[in-house]
Amino acid sequence: MKGYLVLESGEVYAGLWQGGENRAGEVVFNTSHSGYEEIATDPSYFTQIVVMTAPMQGNYGVEDEVWESNRLWIEGFICLEIQDTERDQAWKKRLTENKIPLLTEIDTRNLVLRLRQGGTPWGALVQASSETDARQKADALIAEKKKMDKDWVYLASRKTAETRRGDNMVGPRVAVLDFGSKENILRELQQRCSEIRIFNSRSTVQEIMDYNPDGIMLTNGPGDPADVKMAAGTIRELIGVKPIFGICMGHQVLGLALGAKTYKLKFGHRGSNHPIRDTLLNQIYMSSQNHGYAVEASSLPADAKVTHTNLNDGTVAGFYSEKNKYLGIQYHPESCPGPHEASGLFSFFIERMI
């Protein structure tokens, strides 16, 4: 069966339709060689069609224990080849059973070059009888998708508070502001804390302070930080009151709360092989990343020192204030998928900031 990826900018890519339903979303690429389950279940990929640069996907099947949430968040999955043999069709079945469109036998190298050179576009994956038919279906899907609420963080955030017991009975209590959190952020905290309580992204200062946490975690999440409602104002009132650690979207919203500016990257950083210079841990390491926006270094306040730098393009990968006890990290120190060298930042937060 023939399927198409149609970009809003006009390009059309034909491939083999492996199943799922027609869907629209932002088209992004990921350079990870493994971790397709963690990527697909990461709420940060809400509304996104993911193009994998590694040619073969689904090689090692599926394992529910590695999921980063309880559902698939992507709007589509594109790769050169998918494991589809008598031995193993598990990943293909998992996608199509959840109605996630799957397109293979597409020139992913050419497509990724387009995304790098032209930036991140909206697009749609459709099953169609012709390119003309595909364009008509895609235009309607993209137009409808764009009508959704722009506060994607709120759409991905849990709506009721949740309390989890930690593994360290003498550890601190941490309030987690859920912007679309990956499970491994919560696991890393639970290992070090006596208890964590997870709040909706639009929770008030009073709701958080009534819990009386020792520190606050701002999690990852999808979308444009400028479209996130309430959270920057809430965080602004908590700066200097409680130690704060922001990851990915949390880092960006923390920046906005400080009065800094954010901007959209041309094609974003998504993959498990992004080099970082970390002056807090005094290391250079590879990191897992998934974001489309960055914080403008020159707009940060005087007490915020840029402590982490993306060595690919020099963008701000982290900032820290010893005076007001806040830390923002643009990438994923919790990994999953990806390298674990940055996990020490969780210990830095618990042991040196709280």
Side-chain angles (χ1 to χ4, degrees):
M1 293 184 290
K2 205 164 190 178
Y4 297 87
L5 169 67
V6 182
L7 302 186
E8 187 180 36
S9 49
E11 301 93 327
V12 178
Y13 301 83
L16 179 62
W17 186 265
Q18 297 277 6
E21 64 182 17
N22 296 347
R23 290 194 184 185
E26 284 191 324
V27 184
V28 301
F29 66 92
N30 188 294
T31 58
S32 298
H33 283 245
S34 61
Y36 47 82
E37 284 189 278
E38 293 96 320
I39 291 166
T41 57
D42 178 352
S44 294
Y45 283 100
F46 176 71
T47 76
Q48 293 184 332
I49 295 169
V50 180
V51 182
M52 301 299 292
T53 61
M56 187 71 195
Q57 299 294 319
N59 287 9
Y60 50 86
V62 297
E63 176 54 67
D64 291 351
E65 290 184 4
V66 305
W67 279 36
E68 285 301 313
S69 67
N70 60 6
R71 56 163 284 192
L72 300 174
W73 290 89
I74 60 174
E75 295 290 355
F77 193 82
I78 298 173
C79 59
L80 180 61
E81 297 181 53
I82 193 81
Q83 177 67 256
D84 187 16
T85 64
E86 290 184 12
R87 179 184 68 82
D88 194 353
Q89 300 175 326
W91 182 233
K92 175 184 174 180
K93 288 182 177 179
R94 186 60 60 91
L95 288 168
T96 56
E97 286 171 358
N98 285 275
K99 299 182 180 181
I100 306 296
L102 169 60
L103 190 66
T104 63
E105 297 188 18
I106 188 171
D107 185 350
T108 52
R109 178 174 292 182
N110 183 43
L111 173 55
V112 169
L113 287 173
R114 153 62 186 88
L115 298 178
R116 284 182 59 89
Q117 294 165 2
T120 300
W122 282 85
L125 283 173
V126 296
Q127 187 178 7
S129 58
S130 66
E131 185 174 311
T132 301
D133 184 31
R135 288 181 185 275
Q136 292 175 345
K137 290 180 176 180
D139 288 347
L141 286 167
I142 294 169
E144 185 62 29
K145 194 71 172 180
K146 283 186 170 183
K147 294 177 183 177
M148 69 186 306
D149 186 347
K150 290 184 178 181
D151 187 356
W152 295 356
V153 157
Y154 181 69
L155 297 178
S157 176
R158 67 200 69 207
K159 300 303 180 283
T160 57
E162 176 189 348
T163 302
R164 297 188 186 183
R165 177 170 292 183
D167 300 331
N168 181 6
M169 290 300 99
V170 295
R173 287 161 32 117
V174 170
V176 179
L177 208 52
D178 176 20
F179 293 157
S181 181
K182 291 171 61 182
E183 275 297 311
N184 212 44
I185 289 178
L186 306 179
R187 294 186 200 109
E188 291 282 0
L189 289 175
Q190 285 177 266
Q191 289 175 17
R192 297 166 172 84
C193 295
S194 58
E195 185 179 276
I196 65 173
R197 186 164 177 80
I198 310 160
F199 293 85
N200 175 264
S201 67
R202 294 182 184 176
S203 296
T204 65
V205 173
Q206 189 62 52
E207 288 171 325
I208 295 168
M209 292 301 291
D210 282 348
Y211 178 61
N212 193 26
D214 298 302
I216 297 169
M217 167 64 72
L218 314 174
T219 78
N220 66 294
D224 184 343
D227 291 328
V228 179
K229 297 177 182 177
M230 285 187 61
T234 298
I235 296 163
R236 188 175 298 116
E237 294 187 44
L238 294 168
I239 291 171
V241 178
K242 298 287 183 180
I244 300 174
F245 182 10
I247 292 175
C248 199
M249 174 60 74
H251 157 92
Q252 295 165 7
V253 178
L254 175 59
L256 293 176
L258 292 166
K261 297 178 181 178
T262 58
Y263 63 95
K264 188 172 184 178
L265 296 166
K266 186 175 182 180
F267 49 81
H269 301 154
R270 297 177 180 88
S272 302
N273 49 5
H274 291 257
I276 294 293
R277 178 186 291 116
D278 178 342
T279 60
L280 280 187
L281 301 182
N282 195 28
Q283 297 176 12
I284 291 177
Y285 48 71
M286 302 302 280
S287 67
S288 177
Q289 303 202 9
N290 172 26
H291 58 272
Y293 293 80
V295 174
E296 187 178 288
S298 62
S299 66
L300 286 164
D303 68 299
K305 179 184 177 183
V306 175
T307 50
H308 299 72
T309 304
N310 185 310
L311 294 178
N312 280 340
D313 61 7
T315 52
V316 175
F319 55 78
Y320 173 61
S321 170
E322 185 174 7
K323 175 185 176 182
N324 285 310
K325 291 189 175 181
Y326 59 76
L327 171 65
I329 296 296
Q330 180 61 86
Y331 50 95
H332 290 274
E334 79 284 357
S335 64
C336 290
H340 298 266
E341 286 91 338
S343 62
L345 291 168
F346 287 95
S347 296
F348 182 91
F349 173 54
I350 299 298
E351 297 168 10
R352 297 183 58 180
M353 291 176 62
I354 293 180

